Amino acid sequence: MSKSEKRALSEEELQELVAASDSGARSPVGSVGLFVAAVALIWAIFQVLLASPVAPYILPGDLINNSRQIHLAFAVFLAAMAYPLFRSSPRDYIPWYDWVLGLGGAFLALYGYFFYAKIVSNGGLADDSDALFALAGLIVLFIAAYRVLGPVMVALAVIFLAYVFFGSSEMVPDQIRWAGASLRKAMSHMWITSEGVFGIALGVSTKFVFLFVLFGALLDKAGAGNYFIKMAFGALGHLRGGPAKAAVVGSAATGLISGSSIANVVTTGTFTIPLMKRVGFSSEKAGAVEVASSVNGQIMPPVMGAAAFLMVEYVGISYVEVITSAFLPAVISYIALVYIVHLEAVKTRMPTIGNKVVSMGRTIGGMFAFFAGFAALCYATQYPVQAIVSLVPNGAGWVLAALLGLVYLALIWLASKSEDLEPDDPNAEVVELPDLAKIYKSGLYYLLPIIVLVYFLMIERKSPGLSAFWATFLLFGILLTQKSLKAFFRGEANAISRLKDGFKDLIDGMIDGSRNMIGIGLATATAGIIVGTVSLTGIGQVMAEFVEFLSGGNLVLMLIFVAILSLILGMGLPTTANYIVVSSLMVSVVVELGAQSGLIVPLIAVHLFVFYFGIMADVTPPVGLASFAAAAVSGGDAIRTGFIAFFYSLRTVALPFVFIFNTDLLLINVTWYQGIIVFVVSTIGILVFTAATMGWFMTKSRIWETVALLAIALALFRPGIFMDQIQAPFDETDPAGFSEALANAEPGSPFRLVISGPDFDTLEMKDVTVRILTPDVDGAEARLDALGIILIPEDGVQRLDEPAFGSEFGETLADFDFYGDEVVSITAVTSPASQLPKELIFIPALLLLGLVGFVQMRRARTHALKGATA
């Protein structure tokens, strides 16, 4: 063992690592352990009932209305039970002080529920006693968050809370000073109202996130995680660098159902990392591949570490739109990671595992056929469903349930013909590759809950909570019956008695789901303090000014600084809290400063931008938690693992800059055939970029070839930047003629207006670029009224009066002072020019790619001939 290589942790130690991070390291024994498990089970049952369509008929209205308080009460209590407060705290029993903190914290979380009438009588504001209880609640919340999430989240929340109280101090720089708040005002905002702890984030955790985390826990308990890993290893293990490619695909599959990059690393890494080391990857590179692929699981729809549901609330678009926008960047990022692994294997001529005939083309074709077939199946499900609904409108639900049951029975019968899948030993002397032809039948029924989830989300367009409820409800049936049905179909005598095993698996899965939710519940609650501080103090404006000062107004520098700040803010935070923090502080910065620089992009693009860089903190030293977990598995150096993982993640770092300037990558306002073109071209672009950063395409690249590959990638991702050099992208219109241009424009035609005027707070002059769409009404006056724009032509200047109250234009220009000495005016008007299709740039880019490939192939062939004759 080299000096740089440490001892890899044992399986037991690794499970303890995951437990300490995700579900709690304490497991009390005896009646206390049963009590804690019962509380976790009750929490799961409550959340399932809350998400069910019968919730209004089963649960009292006050429980539904105060579900956020109940959700937090369970999380705080179970945190005290499951997570030791100190390193020296006992692991097998619960000390007295944790009982006090747990029960006291649950009571304080439910304070608004118990004293609802009193708070309402005070107009929703805290009196002196309310403020003291709220302060105690915050302290207990901080203690719970510290024991579950670590010190970083708590320190961040305390700093923001201190700013609320002491922001008016002379010790605070003038640039960020504010008036400050009294204890009553601050506690009302943070604990009594829905602006702070009990805000949108905790609401999303209550309504949506719990069901998806429970869904993932139950699916894993059923055996789907092992099935996905075996399928990935069977499909890719025989290729050069196969274990690493299997790690990427397996992590993508488990990332669909996992909300934790650390759990993802350990779950797949305990099998794949030792195999990667056996075929030639160093400990650090093996760990880095697992880190990069596991962290990428957090950007993969449908869960995205719970961020997808928060984006629905923060951005104000549907869940389907969120995951549609997030899908393509996540997929091509994983494709690029597979390519990175392939290049690493080719560069070092790694051996293959097993004796299969290696066929990259057949492997890729088979995988594409599987995923395309699965997507087609999910889409085609709607047609038989519609037919049944039209034939039996009143009993369609029962008919569909019966048919789904028959399909499940058929797939279970098929699975019973194969042996149950057992986890493989990666350290065995002979590693046998799973035979896909034999094992694929053993887990096809695992796809049924996923199909149900996708159907309700994408076809029926039901809420995420209700969709997850029906998918989870199906999983209840699978866990209860799969073992007994398999035993029955195999002719075993103990088929009925296996129902007991299924019931135990279901209970264990529900308890696991609740324990996995403790951290997310506390993270969303604690992050609510930061959100509440932003809304109470307006510090978001201060962050914008800070970034503007650092960047000097340069757009690209501004985005780089926002990316760095998002990375710093995300260090040490779980995915959900990470997204809440970076979006609360950084989104407004990009929107405001971008508008001043002429960058106008959909809000979802900005949220994804900061989210991508926030989760990169899980990779990046010195805090990268996933890198430390991977190093514990591999026995390698954690810091080196983190740096290599960051290098492997360069394509994830580059993608946000791409889609912030080219929203086609987010499939925004593109047709289906344009979407296919975007996918194909973007995939080629990310592979070319990967080849450039790895310094290897067909063979080792020369400097000019690397530069050419980077230029090709830029042309494929942002063809408009080259087309704009050939033809101007915008036609300019005299501001004085804006009314006439608006009257003559086709409905839906976009205009960009540069608005200049004094800032409402500082009175300094500033420029803001706004984008408007021509309303579908006739005449200039009618269109201006529809937009809320009031023009006052004055001495050749197109002056603006304060826009109509409540109009979209009015909200955009709310930061201007319309009543000062300096006027607010339109200083520039542009509209899109008639331009050749930007896709024409793809032709020279692909020709140049062909040239580089041809040159490298000749060089590689020459080197091969020399090696053969040597």
Side-chain angles (χ1 to χ4, degrees), residues 535-760:
S535 62
L536 182 63
T537 66
I539 195 171
Q541 176 66 33
V542 175
M543 294 295 294
E545 293 172 359
F546 176 63
V547 172
E548 183 179 23
F549 169 75
L550 289 177
S551 63
N554 182 280
L555 180 60
V556 175
L557 275 180
M558 180 269 289
L559 290 173
I560 291 173
F561 281 123
V562 167
I564 293 172
L565 286 172
S566 298
L567 191 64
I568 294 171
L569 288 168
M571 286 184 175
L573 302 183
T575 304
T576 312
N578 185 321
Y579 168 66
I580 297 169
V581 171
V582 297
S583 62
S584 300
L585 293 173
M586 294 287 100
V587 165
S588 60
V589 175
V590 178
V591 171
E592 182 173 335
L593 298 184
Q596 293 181 24
S597 304
L599 175 68
I600 302 174
V601 294
L603 198 55
I604 181 64
V606 183
H607 276 263
L608 286 172
F609 181 89
V610 298
F611 175 58
Y612 268 52
F613 282 103
I615 63 165
M616 287 306 297
D618 265 357
V619 177
T620 314
V623 182
L625 299 179
S627 298
F628 279 88
V633 179
S634 70
D637 181 77
I639 300 298
R640 287 183 61 195
T641 299
F643 278 117
I644 296 172
F646 184 80
F647 175 72
Y648 287 163
S649 300
L650 283 177
R651 83 263 179 251
T652 310
V653 173
L655 279 173
F657 286 95
V658 172
F659 61 62
I660 205 80
F661 288 108
N662 181 11
T663 56
D664 287 354
L665 193 61
L666 302 181
L667 301 179
I668 296 175
N669 297 326
V670 298
T671 61
W672 67 268
Y673 63 86
Q674 288 175 322
I676 293 174
I677 294 173
V678 169
F679 172 70
V680 172
V681 172
S682 299
T683 301
I684 297 172
I686 200 70
L687 295 179
V688 171
F689 176 79
T690 300
T693 55
M694 294 293 290
W696 191 286
F697 186 32
M698 301 295 178
T699 186
K700 185 175 181 180
S701 297
R702 291 172 177 165
I703 293 177
W704 75 267
E705 292 168 341
T706 298
V707 173
L709 290 173
L710 289 173
I712 293 165
L714 179 62
L716 294 176
F717 277 127
R718 276 205 69 195
I721 198 172
F722 293 94
M723 185 57 73
D724 291 349
Q725 307 305 313
I726 300 171
Q727 288 182 302
F730 297 107
D731 288 330
E732 294 189 7
T733 301
D734 185 356
F738 171 58
S739 296
E740 182 180 352
L742 185 66
N744 296 330
E746 292 291 326
S749 300
F751 283 89
R752 288 186 175 224
L753 312 179
V754 179
I755 313 296
S756 300
D759 184 270
F760 185 82

